[in-house]
């Protein structure tokens, strides 16, 4: 395949950007009363409005040609069928297989249909969760389990934690807690509220070798022992989720208590597997199955819809348009939902760990920007934080607004107010405010004062956004939303010719920390730069160590 920058699609987009750079979205809306009708899609309980973007039909057609030139359809099919598209790890990429319905065609990896294994592990995990919820699985002293502590990090934490929190209205009987950070404040605060007799710990690590997780798992086991409960009770109070079942057993977790993961599911794509156990424990089997069904509905749409009507493809192409052709400085994601407050953090890993790459699949240096800086915070809160920069800063930062249309809480007019703010921000970012409009607002001021203040109140506008509306934040819709972003990221990875499914950069950081930890406690000949040596020595002084 040609380098993507040498395709006519890429070059036409460059020329098109120059030709359309002066068009303001306000004028695009004024010129076409049907713009919203033409530029939104609906899928089950989701509405995707992308009309507030710096695009017209020609832009969208050119972007679809780019997807075609990059081979997005073929690569999506390769992923779906279990081809080993994660080249650097020689693995298939099959998170979509985790949410296939019972009547699905076999999915073959190395000559074996993976669906029976997936279903077996899912049934085991769901049965375990239901046994906790219904008081069938009791603690070693015969008491009902009230608390479940999930110990994991990265993909073994962010997805499960975000989903558990997002589905708070559906929670059943067991309280679910998360411990991820090696900073002892995390585990100390969780343990402080627990009774060992009524707590189950789950050590979640695909590799079962991640130091933060093992550190916390050991701390949890030590705490359990210190509570004076019998050693044999560990079998009732500790479970694990891992693709390295032996390592989990060596840690002391009974074989029956280990739920298997598969090497063809990346950590950040794994909440659909047994890694979703905390979600299962929180909301039970039927809601978890609805969550999987929602993701599958988005998969079906992604694998079958033409590019021009395909929600994840459009989302990806818009991101490429801004990042590679319009000079965007980042991407903001703002859920107008307190229960989705961890969504930006989850999405950061999904997006930045996947597409933060500077080499192509074949090892060449890329000549264009790949994954960008993604950040976000729950709305409306972030309107009082970083929105000033979006409205009047100098940088181009498109925004995804995620807004549930109904809430189960029904307190006052809170929800309507929140939705109104989301819609108003998207409108204001798009419209802006001209100098004339600013002057008109200040008509009562003396002229000199008005002329001084009006430029401060001018907003350039033309700031792009997508509005992703969910009829409610249900398990099904959340599954759709997450699968939408997974596929968006995949499409971008294909266009950039990179591998979204490895993470060698993070692996490197893990290795470096291993060298420094012993140096913090024992005097050694430090072989680091002077800054790192200075920091290590300062730590030692603070601990009164020589
Ligand atoms: O952050 C790096 C990473 O390898 C992630 O990709 C992964 O989700 C996380 O560490 C945790 O890994 P594990 O599940 O193997 O403990």
């Amino acid at each position: 395949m040609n380098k993507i920058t040498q395709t006519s699609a890429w070059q036409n987009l460059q020329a098109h950007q120059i030709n359309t750079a002066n068009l303001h979205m306000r004028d695009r809306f004024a010129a076409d009363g049907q713009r919203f009708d033409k530029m939104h899609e609906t899928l089950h309980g989701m509405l995707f409005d992308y009309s507030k973007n710096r695009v017209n039909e020609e832009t969208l057609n050119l972007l679809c040609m780019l997807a075609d030139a990059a081979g997005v359809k073929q690569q999506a099919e390769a992923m779906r069928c279990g081809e080993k598209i994660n080249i650097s790890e020689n693995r298939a990429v099959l998170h979509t297989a985790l949410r296939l319905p019972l009547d699905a065609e076999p999915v073959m990896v190395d000559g074996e249909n993976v669906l029976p294994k997936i279903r077996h592990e899912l049934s085991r995990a769901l049965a375990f969760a239901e046994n906790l919820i219904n008081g069938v699985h009791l603690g070693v002293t015969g008491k009902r389990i009230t608390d479940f502590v999930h110990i994991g990090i990265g993909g073994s934490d962010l997805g499960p934690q975000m989903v558990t929190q997002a589905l708070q209205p559906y929670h059943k009987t067991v309280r679910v807690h998360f411990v991820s950070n090696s900073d002892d404040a995390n585990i100390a605060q969780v343990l402080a509220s627990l009774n060992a007799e009524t707590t189950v710990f789950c050590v979640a690590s695909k590799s079962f070798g991640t130091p933060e997780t093992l550190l916390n798992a050991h701390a949890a086991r030590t705490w359990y022992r210190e509570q004076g409960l019998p050693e044999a009770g560990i079998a009732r109070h500790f479970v694990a989720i891992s693709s390295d079942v032996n390592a989990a057993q060596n840690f002391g977790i009974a074989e029956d208590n280990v739920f298997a993961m598969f090497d063809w599911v990346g950590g950040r794509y794994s909440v659909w597997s047994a890694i979703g156990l905390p979600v299962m424990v929180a909301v039970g089997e039927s809601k978890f199955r609805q969550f999987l069904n929602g993701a599958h509905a988005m998969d079906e749409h992604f694998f079958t819809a033409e590019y021009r009507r395909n929600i994840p493809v459009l989302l990806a192409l818009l991101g490429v348009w801004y990042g590679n052709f319009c000079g965007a400085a980042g991407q903001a994601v703002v859920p107008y939902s307190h229960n989705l407050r961890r969504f930006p953090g989850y999405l950061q890993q999904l997006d930045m760990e996947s597409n933060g790459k500077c080499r192509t699949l074949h090892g060449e240096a890329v000549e264009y920007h790949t994954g960008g800086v993604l950040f976000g915070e729950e709305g409306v809160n972030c309107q009082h934080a970083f929105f000033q920069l979006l409205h009047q800063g100098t940088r181009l930062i498109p925004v995804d607004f995620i807004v549930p249309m109904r809430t189960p809480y029904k307190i006052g007019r809170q929800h309507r107010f929140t939705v109104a703010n989301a819609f108003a921000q998207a409108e204001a970012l798009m419209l802006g405010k001209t100098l004339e409009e600013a002057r008109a607002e200040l008509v009562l001021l003396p002229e000199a004062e008005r002329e001084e203040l009006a430029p401060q109140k001018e907003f350039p506008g033309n700031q792009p956004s997508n509005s992703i509306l969910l009829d409610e934040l249900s398990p099904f819709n959340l599954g759709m939303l997450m699968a939408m972003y997974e596929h968006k990221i995949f499409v971008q990875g294909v266009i950039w010719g990179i591998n979204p499914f490895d993470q060698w950069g993070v692996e490197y950081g893990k290795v470096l920390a291993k060298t420094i930890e012993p140096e913090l406690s024992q005097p050694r000949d430090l072989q680091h730069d002077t800054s790192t040596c200075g920091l290590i020595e300062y730590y030692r002084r603070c601990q009164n160590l020589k």
Side-chain angles (χ1 to χ4, degrees):
M1 191 176 68
N2 279 340
K3 273 192 183 161
I4 195 73
T5 48
Q6 286 160 14
T7 59
S8 56
W10 185 280
Q11 288 166 7
N12 290 340
L13 279 161
Q14 283 177 319
H16 178 73
Q17 195 281 325
I18 293 166
N19 294 338
T20 57
N22 291 329
L23 281 177
H24 197 291
M25 266 191 279
R26 185 194 313 171
D27 301 322
R28 295 183 193 262
F29 270 93
D32 184 358
Q34 309 294 304
R35 190 171 166 88
F36 171 76
D37 292 341
K38 292 176 190 163
M39 295 191 188
H40 82 270
E41 293 292 333
T42 53
L43 182 68
H44 304 288
M46 176 185 282
L47 184 148
F48 172 58
D49 169 22
Y50 58 100
S51 59
K52 293 191 187 80
N53 278 292
R54 296 180 184 178
V55 295
N56 57 20
E57 274 309 314
E58 190 187 351
T59 329
L60 294 169
N61 289 336
L62 290 172
L63 286 166
C64 289
M65 285 178 201
L66 186 70
D68 212 27
V72 166
K73 259 226 155 336
Q74 293 82 340
Q75 285 304 306
E77 194 51 19
M79 173 169 74
R80 195 180 68 78
C81 296
E83 278 182 38
K84 296 195 173 173
I85 60 168
N86 176 358
I87 293 182
S88 71
E89 297 180 332
N90 191 29
R91 286 175 182 163
V93 175
L94 279 175
H95 44 281
T96 54
L98 297 171
R99 47 231 192 185
L100 280 171
L102 285 174
D103 58 357
E105 297 285 310
V107 178
M108 309 299 287
V109 176
D110 294 328
E112 189 195 345
N113 178 12
V114 296
L115 296 185
K117 267 191 191 159
I118 291 177
R119 284 170 193 153
H120 177 70
E121 284 311 310
L122 179 63
S123 306
R124 288 185 64 225
L126 286 168
F128 180 77
E130 285 292 328
N131 283 343
L132 289 189
I133 292 168
N134 298 320
V136 174
H137 177 110
L138 300 174
V140 66
T141 56
K143 291 193 177 158
R144 197 177 171 123
I145 299 299
T146 54
D147 295 85
F148 179 92
V149 181
H150 184 84
I151 301 174
I153 200 164
S156 297
D157 166 69
L158 290 160
Q161 184 164 180
M162 182 278 287
V163 175
T164 301
Q165 196 173 65
L167 299 182
Q168 188 276 340
Y170 303 93
H171 281 200
K172 292 184 174 260
T173 54
V174 181
R175 285 183 293 266
V176 177
H177 313 263
F178 292 86
V179 173
S180 54
N181 203 332
S182 56
D183 177 3
D184 49 4
N186 192 175
I187 191 159
Q189 287 167 16
V190 170
L191 292 177
S193 67
L194 300 176
N195 173 356
E197 289 175 84
T198 57
T199 300
V200 162
F201 292 94
C202 173
V203 185
S205 174
K206 181 178 170 187
S207 58
F208 220 86
T210 301
E212 295 88 336
T213 300
L214 294 181
L215 195 67
N216 281 323
H218 280 108
R221 195 173 56 185
T222 303
W223 177 84
Y224 170 86
R225 286 173 173 154
E226 285 167 0
Q227 307 307 301
L229 294 179
E231 190 66 16
I234 289 202
R236 300 207 67 76
H237 292 271
F238 280 80
V239 301
I241 309 160
S242 185
S243 63
D244 191 341
V245 175
N246 289 337
Q249 284 177 250
N250 290 342
F251 176 84
I253 294 177
E255 191 178 356
D256 283 352
N257 287 357
V258 183
F259 302 99
M261 289 175 73
F262 312 104
D263 75 346
W264 33 258
V265 177
R268 52 194 176 275
Y269 298 87
S270 65
V271 66
W272 323 99
S273 72
I275 283 286
L277 188 60
V279 183
M280 302 175 206
V281 171
V283 302
E285 172 165 3
S286 101
K287 297 289 175 235
F288 191 81
R289 287 199 185 274
Q290 289 168 21
F291 172 62
L292 296 181
N293 292 344
H296 175 66
M298 183 56 76
D299 296 341
E300 277 295 286
H301 167 76
F302 172 63
F303 288 130
T304 57
E306 56 174 297
Y307 294 143
R308 182 64 189 78
R309 308 291 310 272
N310 193 311
I311 297 171
V313 171
L314 288 167
L315 201 57
L317 292 173
L318 290 165
V320 168
W321 173 236
Y322 294 120
N324 294 109
F325 299 94
C326 304
Q331 167 75 54
V333 174
V334 183
Y336 275 69
S337 159
H338 185 58
N339 286 345
L340 277 178
R341 62 195 176 278
R342 293 199 68 88
F343 194 81
Y346 149 79
L347 197 57
Q348 255 173 351
Q349 188 208 16
L350 192 67
D351 193 313
M352 295 167 84
E353 197 166 279
S354 295
N355 282 341
K357 312 282 162 69
C358 61
R359 296 274 166 177
T360 68
L361 276 164
H362 307 292
E364 300 130 2
V366 293
E367 299 168 343
Y368 37 80
H369 281 307
T370 58
V373 176
L374 186 142
F375 67 99
E377 179 60 83
E378 66 182 294
V380 298
N381 298 19
C382 59
Q383 290 175 202
H384 302 271
F386 60 75
F387 264 57
Q388 166 62 34
L389 185 142
L390 303 181
H391 283 294
Q392 287 189 308
T394 55
R395 300 169 193 276
L396 171 61
I397 302 177
V399 188
D400 283 355
F401 290 93
I402 301 170
V403 196
M405 295 291 96
R406 290 194 296 268
T407 159
Y409 300 105
K410 312 222 183 315
I411 295 187
R413 57 185 184 87
Q414 256 77 354
H415 182 63
R416 200 175 57 205
F417 177 92
T418 307
V419 173
N421 269 270
F423 293 174
Q425 289 298 321
E427 184 174 37
L429 286 167
M430 182 274 283
L431 279 179
K433 192 189 289 178
T434 64
L435 194 55
E436 275 316 303
E437 288 165 343
R439 277 197 189 108
E441 277 179 8
L442 302 171
V443 69
L444 297 178
L445 291 183
E447 191 185 346
E449 225 177 292
R450 183 166 68 232
E451 286 309 305
E452 201 176 310
L453 196 51
Q456 306 296 338
K457 294 198 149 212
E458 181 190 6
F459 293 71
N462 207 25
Q463 296 291 353
S465 67
N466 298 306
S467 293
I468 299 151
L469 312 185
L470 304 175
D471 59 9
E472 61 185 338
L473 187 51
S474 62
F476 185 95
N477 288 344
L478 181 62
M480 276 209 302
L481 180 74
M482 293 166 66
M484 175 190 79
Y485 277 109
E486 287 179 346
H487 294 316
K488 169 206 166 165
I489 290 162
F490 170 74
V491 170
Q492 294 187 330
V494 173
I495 290 173
W496 293 324
I498 57 177
N499 181 359
F501 301 112
D502 60 12
Q503 57 285 317
W504 297 106
V506 193
E507 311 296 344
Y508 179 55
K510 289 183 187 173
V511 175
L512 291 186
K514 271 194 193 149
T515 317
I516 292 181
E517 196 194 338
E519 293 170 347
L520 293 176
S521 51
Q522 282 159 24
R524 279 168 196 231
D525 182 17
L526 298 177
Q527 305 287 325
H528 300 280
D529 60 89
T530 55
S531 162
T532 309
C533 291
L535 299 176
I536 292 172
E537 277 154 16
Y538 185 75
Y539 171 88
R540 291 176 54 77
R541 280 206 299 284
C542 289
Q543 313 296 321
N544 294 323
L545 296 168
K546 286 253 157 47

